[in-house]
Amino acid sequence: MQGEAEKVKSAQARPGHARPKNSGTRPLFDNPILEALSRTHIAVPISMWMVSAVVLMWYAFTYTDLSAYVIAALFTSGWFVFTLFEYVLHRYLYHLEPTTPRRAKIQYTFHGVHHEYPKDKSRLALPPALGVVIWVVFFGLFTTLMGESAYAFYPGFLVGYSGYLLVHYIVHAYTPPKNMFKWLWINHSVHHYKDPHSNYGVSSPIWDHVFGTYMK
């Protein structure tokens, strides 16, 4: 890892949030292969999750006994559950308080580097190699808990994640648009530039309102 002491110091300077810079990037790994694998174009993961969601939905309609109404309900539930998952992950893992050097390292690697360089487009999503592993883990979890219902529930979860990635990319890559994304752009900008311990929801602020972490 490059500049480990500097990264830890940066993360600890403002708990859970490295100071934002307007542009630039920072390597996370000395190994060029690992460094390349830590970056991705946003179109790659979105395409992966959307294609896999379509395939799973096709399987749900073709090879399961689920009715169309049940499939629709499971899909919607999966999308809704993702919004809660997004909030919990962002609040409690991505903003893990860096109270020790080890926790600071974890927080910086997973999310602090993004807060320090929020306009680095190559680090706005999990890299595909790690994403595939996580996809398999969640698919195994949902099929174990839900059986064939997972083939309709998981696509909703994946579409929710794809929507999150799209909103996150738009917020960081473009100036405020003159449509619904402007509201989400402002919401996430408050998180980055005003108070990193607020507005954890990117695709939706619903859980910030529920748990009292919303800030205008």
Side-chain angles (χ1 to χ4, degrees), residues 2-215:
Q2 292 192 356
E4 197 63 53
E6 182 183 351
K7 293 175 187 177
V8 170
K9 182 178 179 181
S10 176
Q12 290 178 324
R14 190 177 183 186
H17 179 65
R19 293 186 179 90
K21 295 180 172 62
N22 291 327
S23 61
T25 186
R26 166 179 276 176
L28 287 175
F29 302 97
D30 291 321
N31 186 301
I33 296 177
L34 288 178
E35 178 62 22
L37 289 174
S38 73
R39 301 175 182 273
T40 184
H41 189 283
I42 197 67
V44 176
I46 289 178
S47 299
M48 290 169 59
W49 310 144
M50 290 301 292
V51 169
S52 63
V54 169
V55 171
L56 290 172
M57 284 293 283
W58 166 80
Y59 187 94
F61 277 106
T62 307
Y63 293 106
T64 72
D65 295 324
L66 302 170
S67 69
Y69 294 108
V70 171
I71 290 174
L74 286 167
F75 179 91
T76 303
S77 298
W79 194 327
F80 183 73
V81 168
F82 173 80
T83 63
L84 177 59
F85 175 80
E86 171 195 331
Y87 177 90
V88 171
L89 183 73
H90 193 179
R91 181 174 181 178
Y92 295 107
L93 177 60
Y94 287 174
H95 283 272
L96 179 73
E97 290 294 338
T99 53
T100 67
R102 179 180 176 81
R103 287 165 67 96
K105 177 181 177 181
I106 292 172
Q107 195 280 327
Y108 186 87
T109 301
F110 272 91
H111 196 61
V113 66
H114 167 59
H115 268 271
E116 189 171 12
Y117 298 96
K119 296 186 182 297
D120 182 356
K121 297 179 184 179
S122 67
R123 286 210 170 102
L124 294 179
L126 284 177
L130 179 58
V132 168
V133 173
I134 293 176
W135 190 101
V136 172
V137 169
F138 273 90
F139 180 70
L141 174 65
F142 290 143
T143 53
T144 299
L145 295 175
M146 306 174 67
E148 68 177 10
S149 295
Y151 288 95
F153 178 88
Y154 198 27
F157 193 89
L158 291 171
V159 169
Y161 180 47
S162 299
Y164 154 79
L165 291 177
L166 180 61
V167 170
H168 197 216
Y169 183 81
I170 289 173
V171 166
H172 286 291
Y174 298 101
T175 55
K178 297 179 180 179
N179 52 37
M180 64 168 287
F181 289 109
K182 180 177 181 178
W183 169 56
L184 293 173
W185 190 97
I186 294 172
N187 178 69
H188 194 53
S189 294
V190 168
H191 172 75
H192 270 275
Y193 300 106
K194 189 173 182 179
D195 183 2
H197 300 294
S198 69
N199 297 22
Y200 294 103
V202 177
S203 62
S204 169
I206 182 173
W207 298 109
D208 286 296
H209 286 287
V210 171
F211 295 115
T213 53
Y214 179 76
M215 177 181 287

